[in-house]
């Protein structure tokens, strides 16, 4: 009996061990199932998700961004041609529109033109999708062992539509930042206009806004400084070419206004000098995604630091140009032997660099905000990038934007300009009927 009881107890122990082993195996299977599900969601294609790795999605996105850039560039060119046709067939001359226009109107016109170009690009993608153009993409862009691509035209169409939306939001952010430049330029032109028609003995009660950082880097902050700057300009240009201007009728404020408005306007006008580098940058992204297997996050982190270096360099150039110009005003006193300044080429390049850097900063922000799945995968990283982007934008609006109009005005003065350039602008300035007093009063 004792032997039978011992045998039964051993059998029960063995059964318990088998059940425990079975439960352990079940727990392991559950863990494998959960891991497989996570692997399926995060790496392998799952449902509408056709890509295996992040860089594959970024590769197709960069490829479609190149096509979207071409479409936006084309429609922008069409809209510019339409504008020229309207001026040609209307009784309003272009010079009259430029005379009575303002930087705010220029900003609004360029902003709406880019938005309409994006809208027409969206309609173009819609038409291409309804004519099954995207269905040919999987045939010419097949998946490989190392690169998984969309298998249907609908997936290409959906991603192309998303890229158009991202570019549109990038335009919204970009022109929102440029509004700070327009505001600062208008305030400075208003102050210079007051300086222009007031006498040297008048006291100008011009309040400096909190956004105008660094009084040492403002140009002609008082009436006397403005008169001194105008005297230096007239003496230097006349020393180079006595026939360049008529000292009795030449309006220094009109000259500054035309140059500031034209130069600041280059930040708003995209054109081939802006779209071609953007297209080449997207092409570089495609190469990095497809062959270097780099995802969007790593590239944008690197590009973000490049943008910060670019903006820091531009800020340094702006301050250096303003300082160099101030030194020229107070040292030479107006001579014709002005030497070429050290930062001449860098100064003119920096405005283009600023617009290019700002656009991709806005594009990165738009791509981050408009794709929720990125927040699910890289929440902490994107949160840091978002906070850093907000800080960069705040620095630009508060500190850098007020320096831009001063910088553009410095480029219009010796030693950054010559008598030949001023002479070429003489006819246009004579047709400009807006006076400094009218600008202030209106």
């Amino acid at each position: 009996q004792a032997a039978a009881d011992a045998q039964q107890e051993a059998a029960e122990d063995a059964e318990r061990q088998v059940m425990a082993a079975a439960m352990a195996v079940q727990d392991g299977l559950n863990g494998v199932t959960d891991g497989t599900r996570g692997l399926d969601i995060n790496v392998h294609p799952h449902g509408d998700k056709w890509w295996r790795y992040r860089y594959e999605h970024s590769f197709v996105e960069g490829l479609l961004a190149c096509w979207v850039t071409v479409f936006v560039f084309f429609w922008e060119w069409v809209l510019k041609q339409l504008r020229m046709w309207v001026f040609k067939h209307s009784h309003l001359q272009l010079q009259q529109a430029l005379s009575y226009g303002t930087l705010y109107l220029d900003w609004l016109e360029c902003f709406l033109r880019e938005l309409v170009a994006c809208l027409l690009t969206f309609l173009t993608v819609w038409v291409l999708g309804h004519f099954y153009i995207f269905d040919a993409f999987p045939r010419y862009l097949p998946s490989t062992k190392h690169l998984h691509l969309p298998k249907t035209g609908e997936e290409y169409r959906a991603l192309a539509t998303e890229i158009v939306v991202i570019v549109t939001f990038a335009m919204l952010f970009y022109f929102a930042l440029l509004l700070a430049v327009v505001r600062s330029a208008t305030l400075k032109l208003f102050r210079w206009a007051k300086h222009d028609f007031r006498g040297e003995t008048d006291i100008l009660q011009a309040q400096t806004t909190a956004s105008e950082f660094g009084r040492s880097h403002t140009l002609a902050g008082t009436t006397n400084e403005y008169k001194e700057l105008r005297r230096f300009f007239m003496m230097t240009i006349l020393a180079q070419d006595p026939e360049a201007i008529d000292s009795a009728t030449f309006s220094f404020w009109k000259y500054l206004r035309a140059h500031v408005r034209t130069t600041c306007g280059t930040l708003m006008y995209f054109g081939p000098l802006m779209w071609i580098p953007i297209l080449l940058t997207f092409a570089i992204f495609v190469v990095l995604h497809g062959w270097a297997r780099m995802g969007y996050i790593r590239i944008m982190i690197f590009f973000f630091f490049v943008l910060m270096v670019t903006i820091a360099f531009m800020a340094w150039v702006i301050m250096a140009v303003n300082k160099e110009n101030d030194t020229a005003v107070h040292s030479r006193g107006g001579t014709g032997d002005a030497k070429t300044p050290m930062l001449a080429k860098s100064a003119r390049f920096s405005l283009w660099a600023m617009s290019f850097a700002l656009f991709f900063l806005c594009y990165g922000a738009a791509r981050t905000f408009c794709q929720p799945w990125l927040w699910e995968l890289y929440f902490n990283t994107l949160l840091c990038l978002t906070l850093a982007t907000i800080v960069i934008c705040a620095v630009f609006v508060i500190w850098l934007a007020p320096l831009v109009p001063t910088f553009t005005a410095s480029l219009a003065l010796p030693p950054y300009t010559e008598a030949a350039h001023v002479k070429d602008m003489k006819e246009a300035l004579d047709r400009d009927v807006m006076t400094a007093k009218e600008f202030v009063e209106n």
Side-chain angles (χ1 to χ4, degrees), residues 6 44 68 111 132 139 151 196 238 274 306 337 380 415 432:
H44 291 283
V68 168
F111 183 29
Y132 306 103
R139 188 162 57 250
K151 295 180 174 59
D196 190 79
L238 290 175
M274 188 67 173
V306 171
D337 56 349
N380 293 331
D432 189 352

Side-chain angles (χ1 to χ4, degrees), residues 53-59 61 285 288-290 292-302 367 373-374 378:
Y53 300 105
R54 312 293 177 242
Y55 68 84
E56 295 171 337
H57 184 278
S58 299
F59 171 80
E61 187 180 59
F285 284 2
L288 294 176
H289 294 318
R293 300 184 181 181
M294 296 179 62
Y296 164 78
I297 297 298
R298 283 190 291 171
I299 292 178
M300 288 309 298
I301 290 176
F302 169 77
R367 192 187 188 280
W373 64 273
L374 282 175
Y378 307 103

Side-chain angles (χ1 to χ4, degrees), residues 242-253:
E243 298 181 356
I245 55 177
D246 185 357
S247 58
T249 60
F250 181 79
S251 174
F252 182 58
W253 177 82

Side-chain angles (χ1 to χ4, degrees), residues 337-399:
D337 56 349
K339 61 181 181 179
T340 303
M342 179 184 65
L343 298 172
K345 294 182 179 180
S346 300
R348 301 187 186 280
F349 171 78
S350 61
L351 281 177
W352 177 89
M354 184 183 75
S355 59
F356 183 79
L358 277 182
F359 176 80
F360 270 98
L361 180 66
C362 296
Y363 176 81
R367 192 187 188 280
T368 300
F369 300 151
C370 297
Q371 294 187 328
W373 64 273
L374 282 175
W375 287 91
E376 296 177 2
L377 299 175
Y378 307 103
F379 180 81
N380 293 331
T381 303
L382 292 184
L383 181 61
C384 294
L385 285 177
T386 300
L387 294 177
T389 302
I390 293 175
V391 170
I392 289 293
C393 293
V395 169
F396 176 84
V397 171
I398 297 173
W399 179 52

Side-chain angles (χ1 to χ4, degrees), residues 401-420:
L403 294 178
V404 174
T406 304
F407 172 67
T408 58
S410 296
L411 295 181
L413 302 173
Y416 290 92
T417 192
E418 297 178 352

Side-chain angles (χ1 to χ4, degrees), residues 25 42 44 46 48-49 67 103 125 130 186 232 238 240 245 247 263 278 291 296 306 310 338 357 405 414 423 440:
V25 171
N42 296 328
H44 291 283
H46 180 77
D48 293 335
K49 188 167 165 293
W67 286 100
L103 276 171
V125 172
H130 280 69
T186 303
F232 161 77
L238 290 175
Q240 294 178 5
I245 55 177
S247 58
T263 311
I278 290 175
W291 281 268
Y296 164 78
V306 171
T310 303
K423 193 174 183 179
V440 171

